[in-house]
Amino acid sequence: MPHRTRLVRNAQLGHCRDCGNSIDRYPRADAAHGVRVVPLHPQEVPAAAIPVTARWHVSSGTAHPSHDGTPWCRIPHTALCPGRPAPAALTPQITTLRRHLALHT
């Protein structure tokens, strides 16, 4: 029987298959599905400009949805990816980030 002795505690750097931009993959504990990986935008952004539902933070190498009270947050790459359809409700800040990533696609 395999035994896991350690969890991944650092981001796994990679590139999006849809647009080619850089992403950081972090593990996320999910009660319903076990440990899943969440692709996040590599840079933090001001939390005040991002809807609460799109805010993530990383603590001890694990991604957590919502806001931790800091003025900065991470955004899931799926909300920014120019290679995917845009989410229904985009803030001007997310629209600007999507355009910036589209230039690098």
Side-chain angles (χ1 to χ4, degrees), residues 4 7 26-31 33-37:
R4 292 185 185 184
L7 295 173
Y26 283 94
R28 171 194 180 191
D30 184 335
H33 301 98
V35 175
R36 297 186 330 176
V37 175

Side-chain angles (χ1 to χ4, degrees), residues 5-91:
T5 58
R6 139 182 170 172
L7 295 173
V8 175
R9 291 292 180 191
N10 293 318
Q12 298 296 311
L13 307 176
H15 291 87
C16 175
R17 285 187 247 160
D18 296 322
C19 71
N21 284 294
S22 296
I23 56 174
D24 291 344
R25 292 183 178 100
Y26 283 94
R28 171 194 180 191
D30 184 335
H33 301 98
V35 175
R36 297 186 330 176
V37 175
V38 178
L40 297 176
H41 183 62
Q43 286 91 29
E44 292 183 322
V45 296
I50 306 302
V52 173
T53 57
R55 295 179 192 174
W56 285 75
H57 68 275
V58 176
S59 176
S60 299
T62 302
H64 301 276
S66 198
H67 187 54
D68 65 351
T70 62
W72 302 95
C73 69
R74 303 286 295 269
I75 303 172
H77 180 74
T78 53
L80 301 174
C81 183
R84 294 176 169 223
L90 289 179
T91 64

Side-chain angles (χ1 to χ4, degrees), residues 21 82 97-105:
N21 284 294
L97 280 170
R98 280 180 65 91
R99 284 186 189 139
H100 177 75
L101 291 179
L103 293 174
H104 293 93
T105 300

